[in-house]
Amino acid sequence: MTATAANSAALAAKPQTLWSTAWRQFRRNRLAAACLWIIVIYVGIWLYAESVYWTAYLRDVVPSYKVTDFDARNAAPSLRHWLGTDFTGRDNVAQLIQGVRIAFEIAILSSAILIPLGFLLGALAGYFGRWVDNAIIWLYSVVDSVPSILSIISISYVVGRGMKGIVIGMGLVAWVGLCRLIRGEYLKHKQRAYVAAARALGAGHLTVMLRHIAPNVLHIVIITFTLLFPRFILTEVILSYLGVGIANEPSWGVMINDAKQRLWLGVWWELGGATAAMFFLVLALNIVGDALRDALDPKLKTAEGSAT
Amino acid sequence: MENTNQTLLDVRDLRISFFTDEGEVRAVDGISFSMKPGETLAVVGESGSGKSVTAMALTRLVPSPPARYLGGEIIFKGRDTLKLSPEELRRVRGAQISYIFQEPSTSLNPVFQIRSQIAEAIELHRRDVKDVDAEAERLLTLVGIRDARLRMGDYPHQLSGGMQQRVMIAMALACNPSLLVADEPTTALDVTIQAQIMELLKELKQKLGMAIMLITHNFSIVADIADNIAVMFRGKIVEYGPTQRVLHEPQHPYTKALLECIPRLGAHKHRLKTINHAEIEAALGR
Amino acid sequence: MTAYIIRRLLTVIPITLGVLLLVFFIYRVIGGDPAARLAGKNATPQKIEQIRKQYGFDKPKFFNWQEAAKTGSPAAAFDSQFWHLVGQFAQLDFGKSLQSNQRISRMLADGVVPSLCVTTPIFLVELSVAIALALICAFYRGTRIDRTFVVVSIVAMSISGLVYIMMGQYFFAFRLRWFPVWGFESPAFLLLPVAIGVIAGIGGSLRFYRTIMLDEMYQDYVRTAFAKGCSQREVLFKHVLKNAAIPILTNVVVAIPFLYTGSLMLESFFGIPGLGRMTVDAIYTGDEPVLFAMVFIGSVIFVIANLVTDLLYTWADPRIRLQ
Amino acid sequence: MPLLEVKNLKVYFPIMGGVIRHKIGEVKAVDDVSFAIEPGETVGLVGESGSGKTTIGRAILRLLEPTAGEVRFDGHDITHASERELRPLRKQMQMVFQDPFGSLNPRMTIASIVGEAMKIHFRQMDRNARRDRIAELLRRVGLKPEHMNRYPHEFSGGQRQRIGIARALAVEPKFIVCDEPVSALDVSVQAAIINLLQDLQEQYRLTYLFIAHDLAVVEHISDRVLVMTQGKIVEAASSEEIYERPQHPYTQKLIAAVPKAF
C-alpha cells in the first residue's frame, strides 16, 4: 500500500470553498469593493425609508415625505430643504429617500417572481430535454419575441398603475434571461462525469437536479439579480413617464417626470437630484454585477446590451 | 544553409515567471541549452514542468502580462530574440522559427479556407512567390495530403484531426524556417495517426534539413527522431544529452524514475515503479 | 443547410401565433373586464354591454364548445374571441382606433416611415461606433485607453435614457437653439433625437462588443496568427473581426428591443409622428385597440429581425453553412 | 458462472436532421458486441477514440439504454430493468471516470462525495459510523482522512482520481468499470493509480473492465484484452497473445503504431 506523502501534500491551511476563493478575487477588484460599500449605504437608506413608511402606515397618519406645504412651493435648495421642494412644497430629499425604498421593493418583488420561474423552467428544460425542452424553448422564445418594454407596458396598463402592475410586468418578462442561462448550465453539467457517478450510485433525477447540479449554478442567480436590479430601476422611470408606472408614491421615475415641466423654468435641482440618486446605485450595481461575474463565472455570457 | 557547426539557437539561463493573484509562479527557472542547424531536440517533461513556456518564449509568444521575462538570453542566429524590436520579431516568426500546436482543431482559423491560411503564411514572408496557390498546393502535397487541390477549398472543421495537423505543418513550413517548434503535436491524436505524423516529421527533417524542437510528455515517441533530449522538472532542466545516453544511462533520479514508470508493451512486469517526489526534491536541492 | 433555413422559416409560424396568444392573454384574460376598460371611467352598464357585444367579448375566449355542440359542426368551436382575432389580423385588419375611429392598419402604415427614420440611423450609427471602439479597446487591451472606455461606458449606461432626452432637448434645442425642439419637417429634426438615442445606448453596446472582441483574442487561432508573423493590426482586422462577426450577428438582435424604447421616448418628446408616439398616445388616452395592435406589430417586426439575423449568422459561420 | 455476460449488445444513437428534425440515420456506437467477464478477472477494452468503448461501459452500468442485445450481471438480466430493480445491483457495480476535474462535484466536500454512496445504500449507518468508514476509505486509497472536509479543487489530478476510487469502493462493489482512469494523468501519477487499482483488486477480490486507448497500459493491467474499432470487437485474447500473436490486421496496426521506446 503506497501511501506516499506526496499525494496528500501541498494543501492550504484551512478548507477553501469556491465561494471563499471567489470572494477573495472579488475583493481584489478595489472599484467593485468600493461600489459594494455604496450599495450597503443604499441598503441602509432603504431600511430607514421602510421604517418611515411603515410607522406612518401603522399609525395611519400622512407620512412626513407626503406633507404638502403650499407656501414653500418650488423652494430652491436651502438649509431646511437641501434639494428644495416640489410643486406642492414636499421636501425633495425625503422623497428621494422613499425613491430608494421603491427601487428596492420593485427589484425584490420582481425577482421573487422571475427567479423561481426562470430557475425552475431553465432546470427542467436543460435537464430533461426533448419535448420538455422544446415546449419551454417555445415559451421563452414567444415571451422574448415581444420587445420587453411593450410587454411590460401592456401588463402594467391592464393590471393598473402602481407597484403591482410594474412588478408583475417585469417579473413575467425578465425571467427569460435567467431561464436561458440556467438551461445552458444544466445542459453542460448534465454531461459532467460527477452526474454519471451520482446516477451510477442510484441517485434519482430529483436528487441529481437539486443536490448535485443546483449548487453549481446558484451563483448565476446572484449575478443575474445584480445585473437586472439596475435595469428594473431604469425601466421604472420609463413606465412612470408613460403613465403606467408608480402612482401617488415618490418613485424616481415620478420625480423625474414631475421635474420635466419645471426644468424649462430653470428648476434643475429636482431633475439633477433624482438623476444623481439613481445614478450611483445603478452604477454601483453594474460594476458589482460585472465583478461578481468575473469572480464567480468568467465564461458566462449574459447578453445584456444597453440599458433601456 | 549556414555552415553546420555554427549554433542555430543558444538559450542561456532563461528565467520566466507568471505573476498571478496567488503570487509568483516560476515557470522557467534558469534553463540553458543550445541547438545546431538541422538538429532535433526533444524537451520532455510532465505537466507544469515549463516545457511549453520555454518553446513559446523563443519568439516571445508567451502572453505578458501575466508572464514576465526575468532574465537570460535567447540567441537565435547570433541575435537575442528577447531584445528584437516588434518589427524584427515579426520577421523571425514564421520565416525563421515556426510552430505547430497540440490542438490542430482550434489552432486553425475556423472561418477561413485552408487555401487562404497557407497563402497568408507565404505572403507574409515570401513576396517573391508569384503563384501562391500553386505553392500552397505543393506544400499540402509535401505533407502527404492527397488531392491537395480539392482540400484547398475546405474549412478546418471539414478535415480529420490528422489532416488538420498536416495543414498546420504545411503552414509552418511555408517559408522554410530554420527551426520548427512542435508543441505536443500528437497528444490530441489517436495512436495510429500519431505514428503517421511522427513519420512525416522524420521525413521532412531528412528532406528539408530544418531543426526541430519537439515538446512532449511521452518519452516513447522521442526515441527514433530526437538527436538530443532535455528532461524538464518544475522549470529546470534536470537532464540534457544525446538521446541514447539519456534513455539508457539516465543520471538524474527523476529521469530514471520517469523512464521506469512507463508501462512497456510486452514487459509483463507485475507492478510499475512509482516516483518518490520527496527523493526528487532532495536531489534538486530545493 | 437548406433544411436548417426551411426549419428556421417554419418556426416563425408557431412563434408569431404564440405572440398573438401572449398579447391576447394579457389584454383579454388577466386584465379584468376589457369591456369596462374600453367603455371608459364613468360608463353606464348599458354602454359596457354595448361594447361587449360590439367587440365580441361576450363570446368564449378560446373555444366555443356550446356552439359546436349545438350546431354539431366542429368549425363552430373556433367561433371564439381568440380565433376571430387570428382571422382578423391575418387579413391585416387591426380594427379601429377608439379616439380617431381611424383604421389602425392605416395609422400603422403612416407611422412606420417616421419610426424607421429615427430607429434605423440610431441602430446603424450605434453598431458601427460601438464595434469601432471595441476594436480599439481590443487593440489597446489592458492599457489606460481600454480602461477609460470601460469606465465611460459603464457610467453612460447608468443614466436613464429619459434624462439624456430631457437634458439634450433642454440644452441643445431650447437653450442653444442648434436643433429644432419639435416636429418632423426635415432631416434636421432627426439629428438631435438620433444623437441622443446613440449616446444613451452606446455605453451598453460598447461594453458588450468589447467582451466579444476580447474573448476572440484569447482563442488558439490568434496565437497561430501571431506565430506566423502577423502584426497586431492584421490579427485584429483580418482574423479576429471575421470570427467576431458570428457572435456579433447572433447578439445584435439583443439591441433591437431597446430601439423600441428609444422610439417611444424620442418620438413623444420630439413630436415625431411614428409608431412610438402612437403607442404613447394610445396609453395616455386608453386607446386599447391601437395599443393591442402596436404591441403585436412591434413583436412581429422583432420576430422578422430575429429571423434575418439568424439566417445571416448561419451564413457567416462556415461550420453551420457547410453542415 | 461469469459475473458479467454481454450478448449481441447494440447501442445506436439516432441522427436527427431534415426539415422536421426526424430520424435520418443512426450512429452504430456499439454494433453487436458479446463478451463475458469472470469474477476476479481484469478484462481490458482497448480502441481509438470513437470506437465505442466508453459507450459499452455506460451501457453495462445502464447509464444509457441499450438498443438491443442482453446484459446479465451476476445472473440477473439488467438490459431493460427499471431503476427500482437496478438499485440493489447498483451497489455491486461502480465506475471510475477519466476526467479528474469533471468526476467530482466541485461544490461538495470529499466527505459528502464519498459519504453519499453510503447514505443511499447503507441507510442503517449513523453519522459516526459513516465518518469512520470514509476515513478508512481515504486512508485505503492513500489520502489523509483529515482532508475529508476539503473541496475537489484543492486536490491534484492524481488525488482526485483516488477520491473517485474511494467513492466507488464505498458501496463495497464486486465489479468496477474503469473508463480511461489514467489517460488524463501524468506518467508518474499514472503508475501510482494503476498500482493502487491492482492492490485493491487483490484485497477486495474486485473484477475490472479496464477501458483505455493506451495499449501498453491495458496490456499491463489486464488478464484478457478486447480490441475494438467502429463499434465492433475485432479480437479477444489473453494480454500475452494479443502482443505476441495479434491476429486481426487492426490489432497488428495498433501494435505497430505503439512507439517502441528503447
Side-chain angles (χ1 to χ4, degrees):
Chain A
M1 210 281 290
T2 56
T4 49
N7 48 41
S8 50
L11 278 174
K14 58 179 182 41
Q16 293 280 356
T17 68
L18 285 173
W19 295 102
S20 59
T21 38
W23 170 247
R24 232 192 10 270
Q25 199 201 332
F26 176 87
R27 258 220 324 270
R28 251 191 299 282
N29 178 340
R30 281 190 308 285
L31 183 63
C35 289
L36 201 58
W37 280 111
I38 296 178
I39 295 174
V40 165
I41 293 166
Y42 268 95
V43 169
I45 298 171
W46 164 45
L47 297 179
Y48 164 72
E50 287 286 353
S51 62
V52 167
Y53 174 78
W54 284 105
T55 40
Y57 182 81
L58 296 175
R59 286 210 206 92
D60 198 7
V61 77
V62 173
S64 55
Y65 60 88
K66 280 191 176 170
V67 169
T68 55
D69 172 2
F70 279 97
D71 43 30
R73 272 200 319 280
N74 290 329
S78 60
L79 270 179
R80 228 160 69 72
H81 299 291
W82 293 343
L83 277 174
T85 59
D86 68 4
F87 62 100
T88 61
R90 286 175 293 205
D91 176 59
N92 281 335
V93 171
Q95 293 192 80
L96 283 180
I97 288 171
Q98 290 306 318
V100 175
R101 172 174 67 82
I102 305 280
F104 271 84
E105 282 179 3
I106 288 179
I108 289 163
L109 293 172
S110 304
S111 300
I113 297 174
L114 81 94
I115 287 178
L117 193 60
F119 195 96
L120 185 68
L121 291 180
L124 290 173
Y127 187 78
F128 288 105
R130 283 201 307 280
W131 65 272
V132 172
D133 194 14
N134 292 334
I136 291 173
I137 288 178
W138 174 78
L139 181 64
Y140 71 58
S141 306
V142 164
V143 172
D144 222 14
S145 295
V146 181
S148 44
I149 195 68
L150 294 181
S151 33
I152 298 173
I153 290 172
S154 306
I155 296 172
S156 311
Y157 173 84
V158 163
V159 166
R161 285 188 64 145
M163 182 78 81
K164 194 156 72 85
I166 290 190
V167 163
I168 294 172
M170 290 206 259
L172 291 182
V173 167
W175 65 271
V176 171
L178 178 65
C179 179
R180 273 214 176 95
L181 288 176
I182 296 292
R183 174 177 173 276
E185 286 300 299
Y186 264 81
L187 273 176
K188 192 174 72 177
H189 280 269
K190 195 172 70 170
Q191 266 93 29
R192 288 274 171 77
Y194 76 86
V195 167
R199 301 281 305 137
L201 284 172
H205 287 308
L206 216 57
T207 330
V208 171
M209 266 178 80
L210 298 181
R211 202 161 120 57
H212 284 273
I213 299 182
N216 284 289
V217 293
L218 274 183
H219 61 282
I220 290 176
V221 173
I222 299 168
I223 297 172
T224 305
F225 174 76
T226 319
L227 288 176
L228 274 181
F229 194 156
R231 294 182 54 202
F232 288 148
I233 299 173
L234 297 172
T235 308
E236 182 271 324
V237 170
I238 290 163
L239 292 178
S240 299
Y241 163 73
L242 294 173
V244 285
I246 298 289
N248 56 53
E249 280 295 334
S251 79
W252 286 329
V254 166
M255 291 183 71
I256 285 181
N257 282 299
D258 295 346
K260 179 167 54 111
Q261 281 82 10
R262 287 186 300 293
L263 175 64
W264 298 64
L265 310 170
V267 175
W268 56 269
W269 48 84
E270 273 176 35
L271 182 63
T275 309
M278 245 173 63
F279 172 72
F280 290 108
L281 179 58
V282 169
L283 180 68
L285 284 165
N286 277 331
I287 291 175
V288 165
D290 258 9
L292 276 177
R293 183 177 47 208
D294 293 344
L296 291 166
D297 195 337
K299 289 186 298 301
L300 195 62
K301 285 282 166 297
T302 48
E304 13 59 55
S306 51
T308 34
Chain B
M1 275 300 286
E2 296 80 10
N3 48 52
T4 50
N5 51 30
Q6 199 216 353
T7 51
L8 175 70
L9 173 73
D10 190 1
V11 172
R12 298 192 195 116
D13 193 26
L14 183 64
R15 233 187 291 285
I16 302 169
S17 290
F18 284 79
F19 293 88
T20 63
D21 307 337
E22 274 86 29
E24 181 190 2
V25 173
R26 275 210 283 270
V28 176
D29 191 9
I31 61 170
S32 303
F33 64 91
S34 64
M35 287 179 74
K36 295 259 177 304
E39 174 194 333
T40 298
L41 169 67
V43 180
V44 184
E46 296 194 307
S47 42
S49 59
K51 54 187 188 300
S52 280
V53 174
T54 309
M56 303 298 268
L58 298 185
T59 56
R60 297 219 305 267
L61 281 172
V62 182
S64 59
R68 270 226 307 277
Y69 297 84
L70 299 179
E73 295 157 332
I74 301 178
I75 312 295
F76 180 78
K77 289 188 180 172
R79 298 177 62 193
D80 183 353
T81 55
L82 295 180
K83 305 228 175 4
L84 290 179
S85 72
E87 188 48 37
E88 287 161 331
L89 190 60
R90 272 209 299 285
R91 274 204 294 281
V92 169
R93 287 179 179 167
Q96 304 287 340
I97 301 178
S98 51
Y99 285 79
I100 55 175
F101 299 104
Q102 174 172 344
E103 295 287 348
S105 56
T106 53
S107 299
L108 291 169
N109 191 321
V111 293
F112 282 96
Q113 290 174 334
I114 304 298
R115 167 187 294 109
S116 42
Q117 301 198 44
I118 295 185
E120 179 185 42
I122 298 168
E123 283 150 3
L124 272 169
H125 302 290
R126 290 168 61 195
R127 288 274 181 283
D128 54 308
V129 172
K130 288 293 163 291
D131 187 346
V132 174
D133 251 24
E135 177 63 3
E137 198 184 323
R138 183 187 69 78
L139 285 166
L140 286 175
T141 322
L142 174 69
V143 294
I145 292 181
R146 286 184 314 283
D147 48 62
R149 174 161 295 286
L150 201 65
R151 285 280 160 267
M152 298 255 280
D154 285 349
Y155 284 87
H157 70 280
Q158 294 172 289
L159 305 176
S160 70
M163 293 277 274
Q164 286 169 346
Q165 195 63 304
R166 288 174 191 269
V167 167
M168 283 294 291
I169 295 170
M171 202 155 59
L173 299 177
C175 309
N176 4 56
S178 319
L179 169 62
L180 173 66
V181 181
D183 187 358
E184 306 247 18
T186 59
T187 306
L189 304 176
D190 281 320
V191 69
T192 44
I193 312 280
Q194 169 179 299
Q196 291 165 14
I197 296 293
M198 292 314 292
E199 203 41 49
L200 172 63
L201 284 177
K202 232 180 354 191
E203 233 177 78
L204 293 172
K205 172 181 153 152
Q206 268 106 28
K207 219 182 272 179
L208 306 173
M210 79 269 181
I212 298 180
M213 175 191 270
L214 176 65
I215 314 293
T216 180
H217 64 277
N218 181 347
F219 249 107
S220 335
I221 63 172
V222 300
D224 60 356
I225 186 169
D227 303 325
N228 294 310
I229 295 181
V231 179
M232 284 187 70
F233 178 69
R234 293 212 185 122
K236 284 187 187 308
I237 293 185
V238 296
E239 186 109 23
Y240 179 39
T243 305
Q244 291 315 321
R245 185 191 63 66
V246 168
L247 291 179
H248 296 296
E249 301 130 26
Q251 307 303 323
H252 195 277
Y254 178 71
T255 322
K256 282 199 201 94
L258 206 54
L259 287 171
E260 268 152 20
C261 64
I262 299 170
R264 249 163 263 138
L265 213 49
H268 304 307
K269 290 223 305 293
H270 180 57
R271 292 179 65 72
L272 299 171
K273 191 167 178 307
T274 57
I275 286 192
N276 182 328
H277 285 275
E279 186 193 301
I280 309 291
E281 302 269 332
L284 266 174
R286 187 61 67 94
Chain C
M1 175 65 191
T2 46
Y4 181 85
I5 294 178
I6 297 167
R7 191 171 61 247
R8 189 65 188 77
L9 288 171
L10 290 178
T11 55
V12 165
I13 298 167
I15 298 280
T16 312
L17 208 61
V19 163
L20 184 58
L21 193 64
L22 177 63
V23 180
F24 176 84
F25 191 76
I26 294 173
Y27 281 96
R28 292 293 179 271
V29 178
I30 58 173
D33 176 9
R37 259 202 327 271
L38 282 165
K41 290 216 177 22
N42 30 40
T44 60
Q46 292 77 8
K47 181 114 174 41
I48 296 176
E49 207 36 49
Q50 184 254 333
I51 287 197
R52 182 168 288 127
K53 283 259 170 318
Q54 183 197 344
Y55 282 84
F57 292 144
D58 49 2
K59 288 203 174 60
K61 293 201 168 31
F62 292 100
F63 291 103
N64 193 338
W65 302 119
Q66 301 82 359
E67 197 60 26
K70 218 172 28 207
T71 59
S73 77
F78 288 95
D79 175 21
S80 67
Q81 290 182 34
F82 177 69
W83 291 108
H84 274 307
L85 203 61
V86 171
Q88 191 193 333
F89 276 24
Q91 290 136 21
L92 298 182
D93 160 18
F94 302 108
K96 287 195 175 51
S97 148
L98 272 182
Q99 299 307 319
S100 63
N101 211 1
Q102 204 191 4
R103 293 194 58 73
I104 296 177
S105 43
R106 185 86 207 85
M107 295 165 70
L108 288 177
D110 301 341
V112 170
V113 171
S115 278
L116 287 179
C117 292
V118 174
T119 48
T120 325
I122 293 178
F123 175 72
L124 295 177
V125 170
E126 186 179 308
L127 186 66
S128 35
V129 169
I131 289 178
L133 294 180
L135 281 168
I136 293 169
C137 289
F139 194 81
Y140 294 104
R141 61 192 178 289
T143 63
R144 244 197 339 286
I145 298 172
D146 181 19
R147 274 198 296 278
T148 36
F149 273 125
V150 167
V151 172
V152 163
S153 54
I154 284 198
V155 165
M157 263 178 80
S158 307
I159 298 169
S160 159
L162 200 60
V163 170
Y164 279 116
I165 295 173
M166 285 187 194
M167 298 271 199
Q169 192 174 45
Y170 177 68
F171 282 112
F172 298 105
F174 178 68
R175 290 288 287 274
L176 300 172
R177 297 208 188 302
W178 290 352
F179 302 99
V181 175
W182 181 268
F184 182 62
E185 278 97 38
S186 73
F189 286 76
L190 293 173
L191 291 178
L192 188 55
V194 167
I196 293 174
V198 169
I199 290 163
I202 194 74
S205 302
L206 170 56
R207 211 161 69 115
F208 187 71
Y209 294 123
R210 175 181 170 276
T211 324
I212 290 178
M213 292 292 173
L214 285 185
D215 285 350
E216 288 300 320
M217 288 305 283
Y218 296 108
Q219 300 292 333
D220 282 352
Y221 69 82
V222 168
R223 180 187 55 182
T224 309
F226 279 122
K228 270 201 256 189
C230 294
S231 65
Q232 280 268 13
R233 220 175 317 95
E234 277 164 337
V235 168
L236 204 55
F237 287 100
K238 191 171 174 212
H239 289 268
V240 169
L241 192 55
K242 193 164 184 206
N243 273 278
I246 298 164
I248 286 175
L249 273 173
T250 339
N251 294 291
V252 81
V253 87
V254 166
I256 293 176
F258 298 108
L259 292 177
Y260 284 80
T261 325
S263 99
L264 285 179
M265 316 303 294
L266 291 167
E267 287 170 24
S268 58
F269 263 87
F270 286 93
I272 298 165
L275 297 178
R277 183 146 165 251
M278 273 182 226
T279 313
V280 173
D281 294 347
I283 298 171
Y284 281 149
T285 57
D287 193 344
E288 199 168 304
V290 169
L291 198 50
F292 191 108
M294 285 299 177
V295 174
F296 177 67
I297 294 300
S299 309
V300 169
I301 294 172
F302 185 48
V303 165
I304 293 167
N306 240 317
L307 176 70
V308 168
T309 34
D310 232 15
L311 297 181
L312 279 176
Y313 145 64
T314 43
W315 170 79
D317 188 343
R319 285 163 290 197
I320 298 176
R321 193 173 71 232
L322 304 171
Q323 211 167 18
Chain D
M1 209 270 284
L3 179 61
L4 179 80
E5 244 183 301
V6 172
K7 289 205 199 79
N8 312 90
L9 179 68
K10 289 196 174 94
V11 179
Y12 294 171
F13 296 118
I15 307 171
M16 291 308 189
V19 174
I20 46 163
R21 301 291 289 161
H22 60 289
K23 191 173 132 179
I24 56 169
E26 54 195 5
V27 172
K28 295 190 170 66
V30 176
D31 192 7
D32 189 7
V33 156
S34 305
F35 61 91
I37 302 181
E38 299 300 329
E41 194 186 16
T42 297
V43 169
L45 180 56
V46 70
E48 293 186 316
S49 49
S51 57
K53 52 189 189 305
T54 302
T55 314
I56 288 186
R58 302 235 165 174
I60 291 172
L61 274 150
R62 282 294 314 285
L63 294 178
L64 48 85
E65 193 73 25
T67 313
E70 197 190 283
V71 178
R72 301 183 73 80
F73 179 76
D74 211 5
H76 309 280
D77 178 351
I78 60 167
T79 324
H80 300 293
S82 72
E83 264 312 311
R84 223 172 15 71
E85 291 156 355
L86 274 173
R87 181 173 279 271
L89 292 170
R90 290 256 180 236
K91 208 168 90 60
Q92 296 172 21
M93 48 180 186
Q94 277 303 311
M95 196 164 192
V96 175
F97 297 85
Q98 169 180 4
D99 168 18
F101 297 95
S103 64
L104 303 178
N105 187 329
R107 303 274 174 171
M108 284 165 86
T109 62
I110 305 311
S112 46
I113 289 175
V114 178
E116 183 184 26
M118 288 178 253
K119 276 206 205 103
I120 294 176
H121 291 287
F122 302 118
R123 274 206 193 71
Q124 75 289 1
M125 258 192 187
D126 63 22
R127 257 179 58 78
N128 299 349
R130 224 183 5 248
R131 288 193 81 77
D132 298 343
R133 181 87 169 86
I134 294 172
E136 203 269 330
L137 279 167
L138 289 181
R139 218 175 286 111
R140 188 60 202 76
V141 292
L143 292 174
K144 284 208 189 93
E146 53 272 26
H147 292 150
M148 76 164 69
N149 297 324
R150 292 301 173 84
Y151 287 84
H153 67 274
E154 300 181 64
F155 293 93
S156 72
Q159 291 169 317
R160 287 174 194 226
Q161 285 304 71
R162 291 169 185 273
I163 295 163
I165 293 169
R167 170 178 55 200
L169 286 179
V171 291
E172 294 158 5
K174 286 191 203 146
F175 172 66
I176 297 183
V177 171
C178 308
D179 184 5
E180 307 233 24
V182 291
S183 314
L185 302 176
D186 279 324
V187 176
S188 54
V189 181
Q190 208 176 69
I193 299 292
I194 290 173
N195 289 350
L196 173 63
L197 286 171
Q198 285 174 314
D199 297 340
L200 295 173
Q201 182 169 42
E202 276 149 32
Q203 185 178 356
Y204 295 107
R205 282 182 310 290
L206 296 171
T207 309
Y208 288 144
L209 172 64
F210 194 93
I211 300 173
H213 61 270
D214 183 333
L215 199 56
V217 168
V218 168
E219 192 252 353
H220 168 78
I221 197 169
S222 324
D223 305 318
R224 250 176 344 108
V225 176
L226 312 172
V227 178
M228 201 171 166
T229 179
Q230 271 115 26
K232 291 191 185 324
I233 291 186
V234 293
E235 188 158 357
S238 74
S239 54
E240 294 78 16
E241 272 168 54
I242 280 283
Y243 172 63
E244 265 121 24
R245 292 174 303 285
Q247 304 304 325
H248 193 277
Y250 178 75
T251 321
Q252 288 152 1
K253 193 172 101 166
L254 213 54
I255 291 175
V258 172
K260 303 293 167 298
F262 16 90

